[in-house]
Amino acid sequence: MTTVTPTASAPSAPKGLPAEARPRRRPSARRRSTPLTIAMLAVLAYFLLPLFWLLVASTKSTQDLFNTFGLWFSHAPQLLSNIRATFTQDDGVFGRWLLNTVLYAGVSALGAALLAAAAGYGFAKYRFRGHGAAFNLVLGAIMIPTTALAIPTYLLFAKAGLVNTPWAVILPSLISPFGLYLMRIYAEDAVPDSLIEAARMDGAGELRIFTTIALRLLAPGLVTVILFTLVATWNNYFLPLIMLNDPNLYPITVGLSRWADQAQNGGAGASSDMLALVVTGSLISIIPLVLAFLMLQRYWQSGLATGGVKQ
């Protein structure tokens, strides 16, 4: 006769005990993937190395840019001297370029965000004849590269007499098909239909509902469009290049390009340290974008998350 020996098992908690008194399972250890870690470090280096090189290069003279190691500082860093020379070159035109860029990008970002919010809210909450065709037209406009529209835009603005004015850069930047699409998707969930109906029953008009209720609920999405348009207009090069002829109206992108041409060709106003000034000006030009992104980051993330997830 075979004797069966009972196996030891973990004691089970009595059923009458509360959940806090029952034994808890040990959490499983997090699995770490070495290839994934290496890939993430490679991506991090891909994005940070150019910024680090720009910071290092801004501390060097033109001679040191070619005679020293590119990813480390020279024996005589001169960042402050380069910044001072950048703002004093050509009677301080770099400061004017910086202010022009802030004006173009700031006005364009705010205007594009408001227009995108109004249009996106209209597509999301109203139904009208041609609703689907109009929105499909917006989606098609997203696929058109902006450079393809630069020449037609120039001819149109030339007929209107707006070439070589700030409006030639600001007005085209106010149209953001992607921002409209983003705000339409965001408004569908962020603004409840019941809230709109309640406001209508209280006697509020459609414009008042949009300005006092909908805009507040669309704030994260607005910040997202502002950030996207700000970066796009700040980095825009081709449109200001063909629209502006006056150096005093140049943004930073076109102005630094002209300095780079002078450094390579030795044109009028070029100096031996012109290339160092171009590099230093490039470093200064990205600082406002970095600050804007850091300040608006939480709104940007919440805007994308809320607009992309159905409630």
mmCIF file of all heavy atoms in Angstrom, residues 153-186:
data_model
loop_
_atom_site.group_PDB
_atom_site.id
_atom_site.type_symbol
_atom_site.label_atom_id
_atom_site.label_comp_id
_atom_site.label_asym_id
_atom_site.label_seq_id
_atom_site.Cartn_x
_atom_site.Cartn_y
_atom_site.Cartn_z
ATOM 1 N N THR A 153 2.161 82.280 -53.374
ATOM 2 C CA THR A 153 1.906 83.255 -52.314
ATOM 3 C C THR A 153 2.630 84.568 -52.588
ATOM 4 O O THR A 153 2.088 85.658 -52.369
ATOM 5 C CB THR A 153 2.345 82.683 -50.955
ATOM 6 O OG1 THR A 153 1.691 81.443 -50.718
ATOM 7 C CG2 THR A 153 2.014 83.649 -49.831
ATOM 8 N N TYR A 154 3.854 84.477 -53.091
ATOM 9 C CA TYR A 154 4.611 85.698 -53.423
ATOM 10 C C TYR A 154 3.901 86.492 -54.520
ATOM 11 O O TYR A 154 3.778 87.727 -54.423
ATOM 12 C CB TYR A 154 6.019 85.331 -53.874
ATOM 13 C CG TYR A 154 6.801 86.512 -54.394
ATOM 14 C CD1 TYR A 154 7.413 87.408 -53.526
ATOM 15 C CD2 TYR A 154 6.904 86.742 -55.770
ATOM 16 C CE1 TYR A 154 8.116 88.501 -54.005
ATOM 17 C CE2 TYR A 154 7.605 87.830 -56.259
ATOM 18 C CZ TYR A 154 8.212 88.705 -55.376
ATOM 19 O OH TYR A 154 8.909 89.788 -55.856
ATOM 20 N N LEU A 155 3.416 85.823 -55.567
ATOM 21 C CA LEU A 155 2.725 86.526 -56.639
ATOM 22 C C LEU A 155 1.448 87.187 -56.136
ATOM 23 O O LEU A 155 1.107 88.315 -56.536
ATOM 24 C CB LEU A 155 2.408 85.542 -57.769
ATOM 25 C CG LEU A 155 3.623 84.906 -58.461
ATOM 26 C CD1 LEU A 155 3.169 83.875 -59.494
ATOM 27 C CD2 LEU A 155 4.498 85.977 -59.110
ATOM 28 N N LEU A 156 0.738 86.501 -55.253
ATOM 29 C CA LEU A 156 -0.489 87.060 -54.690
ATOM 30 C C LEU A 156 -0.192 88.285 -53.837
ATOM 31 O O LEU A 156 -0.863 89.329 -53.962
ATOM 32 C CB LEU A 156 -1.213 85.991 -53.872
ATOM 33 C CG LEU A 156 -2.515 86.413 -53.191
ATOM 34 C CD1 LEU A 156 -3.558 86.785 -54.235
ATOM 35 C CD2 LEU A 156 -3.039 85.292 -52.296
ATOM 36 N N PHE A 157 0.829 88.198 -53.009
ATOM 37 C CA PHE A 157 1.172 89.322 -52.140
ATOM 38 C C PHE A 157 1.778 90.476 -52.938
ATOM 39 O O PHE A 157 1.658 91.646 -52.537
ATOM 40 C CB PHE A 157 2.130 88.864 -51.043
ATOM 41 C CG PHE A 157 1.439 88.246 -49.866
ATOM 42 C CD1 PHE A 157 0.710 87.085 -50.007
ATOM 43 C CD2 PHE A 157 1.529 88.816 -48.610
ATOM 44 C CE1 PHE A 157 0.071 86.513 -48.932
ATOM 45 C CE2 PHE A 157 0.893 88.247 -47.520
ATOM 46 C CZ PHE A 157 0.149 87.091 -47.677
ATOM 47 N N ALA A 158 2.447 90.165 -54.036
ATOM 48 C CA ALA A 158 2.986 91.237 -54.882
ATOM 49 C C ALA A 158 1.849 92.050 -55.496
ATOM 50 O O ALA A 158 1.935 93.283 -55.607
ATOM 51 C CB ALA A 158 3.878 90.641 -55.971
ATOM 52 N N LYS A 159 0.771 91.376 -55.912
ATOM 53 C CA LYS A 159 -0.392 92.092 -56.449
ATOM 54 C C LYS A 159 -1.046 92.963 -55.384
ATOM 55 O O LYS A 159 -1.580 94.035 -55.681
ATOM 56 C CB LYS A 159 -1.409 91.081 -56.988
ATOM 57 C CG LYS A 159 -0.984 90.366 -58.257
ATOM 58 C CD LYS A 159 -0.939 91.306 -59.441
ATOM 59 C CE LYS A 159 -0.633 90.555 -60.726
ATOM 60 N NZ LYS A 159 -0.590 91.481 -61.904
ATOM 61 N N ALA A 160 -1.011 92.489 -54.133
ATOM 62 C CA ALA A 160 -1.629 93.247 -53.040
ATOM 63 C C ALA A 160 -0.698 94.305 -52.462
ATOM 64 O O ALA A 160 -1.120 95.071 -51.584
ATOM 65 C CB ALA A 160 -2.078 92.296 -51.938
ATOM 66 N N GLY A 161 0.555 94.358 -52.907
ATOM 67 C CA GLY A 161 1.492 95.351 -52.405
ATOM 68 C C GLY A 161 1.990 95.079 -50.999
ATOM 69 O O GLY A 161 2.368 96.015 -50.283
ATOM 70 N N LEU A 162 2.018 93.819 -50.596
ATOM 71 C CA LEU A 162 2.445 93.468 -49.236
ATOM 72 C C LEU A 162 3.834 92.857 -49.185
ATOM 73 O O LEU A 162 4.296 92.481 -48.103
ATOM 74 C CB LEU A 162 1.446 92.485 -48.615
ATOM 75 C CG LEU A 162 0.036 93.016 -48.384
ATOM 76 C CD1 LEU A 162 -0.867 91.916 -47.845
ATOM 77 C CD2 LEU A 162 0.056 94.204 -47.429
ATOM 78 N N VAL A 163 4.508 92.737 -50.333
ATOM 79 C CA VAL A 163 5.859 92.183 -50.336
ATOM 80 C C VAL A 163 6.803 93.152 -49.625
ATOM 81 O O VAL A 163 6.649 94.370 -49.699
ATOM 82 C CB VAL A 163 6.322 91.919 -51.787
ATOM 83 C CG1 VAL A 163 7.791 91.495 -51.823
ATOM 84 C CG2 VAL A 163 5.459 90.854 -52.428
ATOM 85 N N ASN A 164 7.793 92.580 -48.930
ATOM 86 C CA ASN A 164 8.776 93.348 -48.165
ATOM 87 C C ASN A 164 8.124 94.100 -46.999
ATOM 88 O O ASN A 164 8.516 95.214 -46.646
ATOM 89 C CB ASN A 164 9.534 94.325 -49.059
ATOM 90 C CG ASN A 164 10.881 94.713 -48.473
ATOM 91 O OD1 ASN A 164 11.528 93.933 -47.785
ATOM 92 N ND2 ASN A 164 11.311 95.938 -48.723
ATOM 93 N N THR A 165 7.118 93.489 -46.402
ATOM 94 C CA THR A 165 6.494 93.991 -45.177
ATOM 95 C C THR A 165 6.366 92.831 -44.199
ATOM 96 O O THR A 165 6.382 91.661 -44.602
ATOM 97 C CB THR A 165 5.095 94.577 -45.457
ATOM 98 O OG1 THR A 165 4.228 93.525 -45.899
ATOM 99 C CG2 THR A 165 5.169 95.678 -46.510
ATOM 100 N N PRO A 166 6.219 93.123 -42.912
ATOM 101 C CA PRO A 166 6.034 92.019 -41.946
ATOM 102 C C PRO A 166 4.808 91.163 -42.235
ATOM 103 O O PRO A 166 4.787 89.968 -41.914
ATOM 104 C CB PRO A 166 5.901 92.744 -40.609
ATOM 105 C CG PRO A 166 6.647 94.033 -40.799
ATOM 106 C CD PRO A 166 6.402 94.413 -42.225
ATOM 107 N N TRP A 167 3.770 91.742 -42.856
ATOM 108 C CA TRP A 167 2.565 90.969 -43.146
ATOM 109 C C TRP A 167 2.837 89.852 -44.147
ATOM 110 O O TRP A 167 2.098 88.857 -44.185
ATOM 111 C CB TRP A 167 1.462 91.886 -43.670
ATOM 112 C CG TRP A 167 0.986 92.869 -42.667
ATOM 113 C CD1 TRP A 167 1.166 94.218 -42.677
ATOM 114 C CD2 TRP A 167 0.259 92.569 -41.465
ATOM 115 N NE1 TRP A 167 0.592 94.787 -41.571
ATOM 116 C CE2 TRP A 167 0.032 93.803 -40.810
ATOM 117 C CE3 TRP A 167 -0.219 91.399 -40.883
ATOM 118 C CZ2 TRP A 167 -0.653 93.876 -39.605
ATOM 119 C CZ3 TRP A 167 -0.902 91.477 -39.669
ATOM 120 C CH2 TRP A 167 -1.119 92.701 -39.056
ATOM 121 N N ALA A 168 3.857 90.011 -44.975
ATOM 122 C CA ALA A 168 4.175 88.970 -45.949
ATOM 123 C C ALA A 168 4.644 87.689 -45.282
ATOM 124 O O ALA A 168 4.571 86.609 -45.884
ATOM 125 C CB ALA A 168 5.249 89.479 -46.914
ATOM 126 N N VAL A 169 5.134 87.781 -44.047
ATOM 127 C CA VAL A 169 5.556 86.603 -43.293
ATOM 128 C C VAL A 169 4.463 86.152 -42.337
ATOM 129 O O VAL A 169 4.253 84.943 -42.140
ATOM 130 C CB VAL A 169 6.855 86.890 -42.519
ATOM 131 C CG1 VAL A 169 7.304 85.678 -41.717
ATOM 132 C CG2 VAL A 169 7.964 87.321 -43.482
ATOM 133 N N ILE A 170 3.725 87.097 -41.760
ATOM 134 C CA ILE A 170 2.747 86.764 -40.724
ATOM 135 C C ILE A 170 1.493 86.144 -41.321
ATOM 136 O O ILE A 170 1.004 85.099 -40.845
ATOM 137 C CB ILE A 170 2.404 88.018 -39.898
ATOM 138 C CG1 ILE A 170 3.633 88.479 -39.104
ATOM 139 C CG2 ILE A 170 1.242 87.735 -38.957
ATOM 140 C CD1 ILE A 170 3.419 89.770 -38.349
ATOM 141 N N LEU A 171 0.933 86.757 -42.359
ATOM 142 C CA LEU A 171 -0.355 86.291 -42.887
ATOM 143 C C LEU A 171 -0.316 84.846 -43.383
ATOM 144 O O LEU A 171 -1.217 84.061 -43.061
ATOM 145 C CB LEU A 171 -0.830 87.238 -43.997
ATOM 146 C CG LEU A 171 -1.286 88.635 -43.540
ATOM 147 C CD1 LEU A 171 -1.724 89.463 -44.735
ATOM 148 C CD2 LEU A 171 -2.411 88.532 -42.520
ATOM 149 N N PRO A 172 0.687 84.418 -44.172
ATOM 150 C CA PRO A 172 0.691 83.002 -44.569
ATOM 151 C C PRO A 172 0.862 82.040 -43.404
ATOM 152 O O PRO A 172 0.408 80.891 -43.479
ATOM 153 C CB PRO A 172 1.891 82.910 -45.533
ATOM 154 C CG PRO A 172 2.110 84.298 -46.013
ATOM 155 C CD PRO A 172 1.749 85.177 -44.858
ATOM 156 N N SER A 173 1.510 82.500 -42.334
ATOM 157 C CA SER A 173 1.740 81.620 -41.190
ATOM 158 C C SER A 173 0.496 81.449 -40.328
ATOM 159 O O SER A 173 0.484 80.593 -39.435
ATOM 160 C CB SER A 173 2.886 82.174 -40.330
ATOM 161 O OG SER A 173 4.072 82.300 -41.083
ATOM 162 N N LEU A 174 -0.546 82.277 -40.566
ATOM 163 C CA LEU A 174 -1.765 82.154 -39.773
ATOM 164 C C LEU A 174 -2.586 80.933 -40.163
ATOM 165 O O LEU A 174 -3.455 80.502 -39.398
ATOM 166 C CB LEU A 174 -2.628 83.414 -39.937
ATOM 167 C CG LEU A 174 -2.054 84.719 -39.393
ATOM 168 C CD1 LEU A 174 -3.000 85.875 -39.688
ATOM 169 C CD2 LEU A 174 -1.787 84.630 -37.899
ATOM 170 N N ILE A 175 -2.340 80.380 -41.337
ATOM 171 C CA ILE A 175 -3.103 79.234 -41.808
ATOM 172 C C ILE A 175 -2.366 77.963 -41.417
ATOM 173 O O ILE A 175 -1.235 77.727 -41.845
ATOM 174 C CB ILE A 175 -3.303 79.286 -43.332
ATOM 175 C CG1 ILE A 175 -3.880 80.647 -43.737
ATOM 176 C CG2 ILE A 175 -4.202 78.164 -43.770
ATOM 177 C CD1 ILE A 175 -5.188 80.984 -43.067
ATOM 178 N N SER A 176 -3.011 77.144 -40.595
ATOM 179 C CA SER A 176 -2.403 75.907 -40.115
ATOM 180 C C SER A 176 -3.392 74.762 -40.280
ATOM 181 O O SER A 176 -4.224 74.520 -39.392
ATOM 182 C CB SER A 176 -1.974 76.044 -38.645
ATOM 183 O OG SER A 176 -1.482 74.833 -38.141
ATOM 184 N N PRO A 177 -3.361 74.052 -41.420
ATOM 185 C CA PRO A 177 -4.284 72.920 -41.598
ATOM 186 C C PRO A 177 -4.122 71.845 -40.532
ATOM 187 O O PRO A 177 -5.111 71.281 -40.048
ATOM 188 C CB PRO A 177 -3.926 72.392 -42.991
ATOM 189 C CG PRO A 177 -3.293 73.545 -43.694
ATOM 190 C CD PRO A 177 -2.566 74.307 -42.627
ATOM 191 N N PHE A 178 -2.871 71.563 -40.152
ATOM 192 C CA PHE A 178 -2.666 70.563 -39.106
ATOM 193 C C PHE A 178 -3.241 71.032 -37.776
ATOM 194 O O PHE A 178 -3.825 70.246 -37.020
ATOM 195 C CB PHE A 178 -1.189 70.251 -38.963
ATOM 196 C CG PHE A 178 -0.883 69.300 -37.837
ATOM 197 C CD1 PHE A 178 -1.164 67.941 -37.963
ATOM 198 C CD2 PHE A 178 -0.339 69.752 -36.644
ATOM 199 C CE1 PHE A 178 -0.905 67.065 -36.927
ATOM 200 C CE2 PHE A 178 -0.072 68.881 -35.612
ATOM 201 C CZ PHE A 178 -0.353 67.537 -35.742
ATOM 202 N N GLY A 179 -3.071 72.324 -37.464
ATOM 203 C CA GLY A 179 -3.649 72.854 -36.230
ATOM 204 C C GLY A 179 -5.160 72.771 -36.227
ATOM 205 O O GLY A 179 -5.776 72.453 -35.197
ATOM 206 N N LEU A 180 -5.793 73.023 -37.382
ATOM 207 C CA LEU A 180 -7.250 72.897 -37.480
ATOM 208 C C LEU A 180 -7.674 71.453 -37.243
ATOM 209 O O LEU A 180 -8.643 71.190 -36.509
ATOM 210 C CB LEU A 180 -7.704 73.382 -38.854
ATOM 211 C CG LEU A 180 -9.196 73.592 -39.085
ATOM 212 C CD1 LEU A 180 -9.415 74.582 -40.213
ATOM 213 C CD2 LEU A 180 -9.918 72.288 -39.410
ATOM 214 N N TYR A 181 -6.969 70.524 -37.867
ATOM 215 C CA TYR A 181 -7.299 69.104 -37.679
ATOM 216 C C TYR A 181 -7.139 68.702 -36.215
ATOM 217 O O TYR A 181 -7.995 68.009 -35.653
ATOM 218 C CB TYR A 181 -6.395 68.261 -38.564
ATOM 219 C CG TYR A 181 -6.475 66.784 -38.289
ATOM 220 C CD1 TYR A 181 -7.561 66.032 -38.713
ATOM 221 C CD2 TYR A 181 -5.452 66.137 -37.596
ATOM 222 C CE1 TYR A 181 -7.631 64.667 -38.444
ATOM 223 C CE2 TYR A 181 -5.520 64.782 -37.334
ATOM 224 C CZ TYR A 181 -6.609 64.059 -37.754
ATOM 225 O OH TYR A 181 -6.674 62.718 -37.483
ATOM 226 N N LEU A 182 -6.054 69.142 -35.594
ATOM 227 C CA LEU A 182 -5.818 68.797 -34.191
ATOM 228 C C LEU A 182 -6.907 69.369 -33.294
ATOM 229 O O LEU A 182 -7.405 68.693 -32.385
ATOM 230 C CB LEU A 182 -4.440 69.303 -33.774
ATOM 231 C CG LEU A 182 -4.006 68.994 -32.340
ATOM 232 C CD1 LEU A 182 -3.826 67.496 -32.154
ATOM 233 C CD2 LEU A 182 -2.698 69.723 -32.012
ATOM 234 N N MET A 183 -7.302 70.624 -33.532
ATOM 235 C CA MET A 183 -8.316 71.242 -32.688
ATOM 236 C C MET A 183 -9.684 70.612 -32.911
ATOM 237 O O MET A 183 -10.495 70.539 -31.979
ATOM 238 C CB MET A 183 -8.374 72.752 -32.972
ATOM 239 C CG MET A 183 -7.137 73.507 -32.526
ATOM 240 S SD MET A 183 -6.744 73.264 -30.776
ATOM 241 C CE MET A 183 -8.217 73.882 -29.996
ATOM 242 N N ARG A 184 -9.971 70.153 -34.121
ATOM 243 C CA ARG A 184 -11.252 69.492 -34.359
ATOM 244 C C ARG A 184 -11.329 68.182 -33.560
ATOM 245 O O ARG A 184 -12.332 67.897 -32.908
ATOM 246 C CB ARG A 184 -11.416 69.214 -35.847
ATOM 247 C CG ARG A 184 -12.825 68.723 -36.195
ATOM 248 C CD ARG A 184 -12.819 67.284 -36.629
ATOM 249 N NE ARG A 184 -14.168 66.799 -36.894
ATOM 250 C CZ ARG A 184 -14.479 65.929 -37.816
ATOM 251 N NH1 ARG A 184 -13.533 65.441 -38.601
ATOM 252 N NH2 ARG A 184 -15.714 65.506 -37.954
ATOM 253 N N ILE A 185 -10.254 67.385 -33.611
ATOM 254 C CA ILE A 185 -10.228 66.134 -32.856
ATOM 255 C C ILE A 185 -10.307 66.400 -31.362
ATOM 256 O O ILE A 185 -11.002 65.700 -30.611
ATOM 257 C CB ILE A 185 -8.960 65.339 -33.205
ATOM 258 C CG1 ILE A 185 -8.923 65.002 -34.699
ATOM 259 C CG2 ILE A 185 -8.867 64.071 -32.381
ATOM 260 C CD1 ILE A 185 -10.085 64.192 -35.180
ATOM 261 N N TYR A 186 -9.620 67.435 -30.908
ATOM 262 C CA TYR A 186 -9.606 67.753 -29.478
ATOM 263 C C TYR A 186 -10.959 68.275 -29.014
ATOM 264 O O TYR A 186 -11.444 67.921 -27.927
ATOM 265 C CB TYR A 186 -8.512 68.773 -29.200
ATOM 266 C CG TYR A 186 -8.311 69.058 -27.731
ATOM 267 C CD1 TYR A 186 -7.529 68.228 -26.949
ATOM 268 C CD2 TYR A 186 -8.917 70.158 -27.126
ATOM 269 C CE1 TYR A 186 -7.354 68.485 -25.600
ATOM 270 C CE2 TYR A 186 -8.743 70.419 -25.780
ATOM 271 C CZ TYR A 186 -7.959 69.582 -25.024
ATOM 272 O OH TYR A 186 -7.786 69.838 -23.687
#
